[in-house]
Amino acid sequence: MDEVFKALADASRRSLLDRLHARNGQSLNELCEDLAMTRQAVTKHLVILEEANLVTTIKHGREKLHYLNPTPIHQIGERWIRKFERGKLAALSELKRQLEKRDE
Amino acid sequence: MDEVFKALADASRRSLLDRLHARNGQSLNELCEDLAMTRQAVTKHLVILEEANLVTTIKHGREKLHYLNPTPIHQIGERWIRKFERGKLAALSELKRQLEKRDE
DNA sequence: ATAATAGGCAACCAAGTGGTTGCATGTCAA
DNA sequence: TTGACATGCAACCACTTGGTTGCCTATTAT
């Protein structure tokens, strides 16, 4: 779980996920196109995404194809984010309530 | 948006958000209890959470009270995570399809 | 008034991160 | 078979990060 959060913390990596979301199964060189980074930098990002299980790769000849795995993202949504969605407005009114309580 | 992802990338900070989710409006010292960190380290984490707009503070006498703001978390859920939830299973079948296509 | 309490500020440090360059390896095409 | 292409590996670098210690300020309680 921590690995997923850390992997998502970098804008370049999120953009790589976006690219795979737009077109799945791209090779390393395809993913490098129009990016202001060397191929090696992209490789490092992809390794981090793989270790977080966000990307799966398959070697196909001399190419390495990258596939998006949205499951960890989904899990973060389910297990973590939903928890904080409940009582969003309730929080504000509780703020007021607690402030008044402290002044008693 | 980037600040929010970066703020959430650290387990200590997520645990601070959990604590505030359990009981809102805690002071700095309360948030430090039973944590294997100095007060100053916790302060630094809280500053990052404030800058990401995940936590709001109100000074109350000599205490500084911390309140959770779940809005940015909710936005990440809405604007970013939901995007990847569609077609989770579709991705697997498309993987197969594209592999076959490449072999033609 | 003064001591204790809550917090702020700044310097410092080790380890991690994002990036580079240079070179090596494996695979395809002419 | 040989050159071009796709990727891998390793060393190196600057900057960031998460943490510390030491000291200062402001507020409260006795």
Side-chain angles (χ1 to χ4, degrees):
Chain A
M1 198 74 157
D2 191 58
E3 283 181 318
V4 181
F5 274 110
K6 285 212 156 58
L8 294 180
D10 185 271
S12 304
R13 287 194 287 271
R14 290 198 301 277
S15 127
L16 284 171
L17 292 180
D18 275 335
R19 281 176 166 237
L20 287 180
H21 186 249
R23 188 163 67 82
N24 213 4
Q26 295 188 60
S27 73
L28 174 56
N29 267 341
E30 285 171 325
L31 286 172
C32 286
E33 277 168 21
D34 305 318
L35 247 52
M37 255 186 292
T38 57
R39 174 177 54 85
Q40 287 82 351
V42 177
T43 301
K44 285 193 180 183
H45 284 305
L46 287 171
V47 167
I48 292 174
L49 291 172
E50 281 180 63
E51 284 171 352
N53 204 27
L54 284 159
V55 162
T56 309
T57 62
I58 294 180
K59 284 191 71 173
H60 190 259
R62 63 181 163 183
E63 289 182 323
K64 188 176 185 182
L65 306 181
H66 298 76
Y67 292 88
L68 178 64
N69 177 21
T71 310
I73 294 181
H74 183 251
Q75 286 176 347
I76 280 186
E78 281 301 315
R79 301 186 188 165
W80 209 83
I81 295 200
R82 298 250 191 286
K83 181 168 67 180
F84 289 92
E85 294 191 343
R86 291 186 285 275
K88 183 172 60 167
L89 291 178
L92 283 175
S93 58
E94 201 205 352
L95 187 155
K96 217 178 163 186
R97 197 183 58 76
Q98 290 213 11
L99 278 182
E100 290 162 355
K101 190 178 158 194
R102 294 245 175 185
D103 278 328
E104 285 172 6
Chain B
M1 197 76 159
D2 190 59
E3 282 180 318
V4 181
F5 273 110
K6 285 212 158 56
L8 294 180
D10 185 272
S12 304
R13 287 194 286 271
R14 290 198 302 276
S15 125
L16 284 171
L17 292 179
D18 275 335
R19 281 176 168 237
L20 286 179
H21 186 249
R23 187 163 68 83
N24 213 4
Q26 296 188 60
S27 73
L28 174 56
N29 267 339
E30 284 172 325
L31 286 172
C32 286
E33 278 168 20
D34 305 318
L35 247 52
M37 256 185 290
T38 57
R39 174 177 55 85
Q40 288 81 349
V42 175
T43 300
K44 285 194 180 182
H45 284 305
L46 288 171
V47 166
I48 292 173
L49 291 172
E50 280 180 62
E51 284 171 352
N53 203 26
L54 284 159
V55 163
T56 309
T57 63
I58 295 180
K59 283 190 74 174
H60 190 262
R62 66 180 160 183
E63 289 184 325
K64 188 176 186 184
L65 305 182
H66 298 76
Y67 291 89
L68 178 64
N69 176 23
T71 311
I73 295 181
H74 183 252
Q75 286 176 348
I76 280 188
E78 280 302 314
R79 300 186 188 164
W80 209 84
I81 295 201
R82 298 249 192 289
K83 180 168 70 178
F84 289 94
E85 293 193 343
R86 291 187 284 275
K88 184 172 62 170
L89 290 178
L92 283 173
S93 57
E94 200 204 350
L95 190 155
K96 217 178 163 186
R97 197 183 59 77
Q98 291 214 11
L99 278 180
E100 289 162 355
K101 192 178 157 193
R102 294 244 177 186
D103 279 329
E104 284 171 9

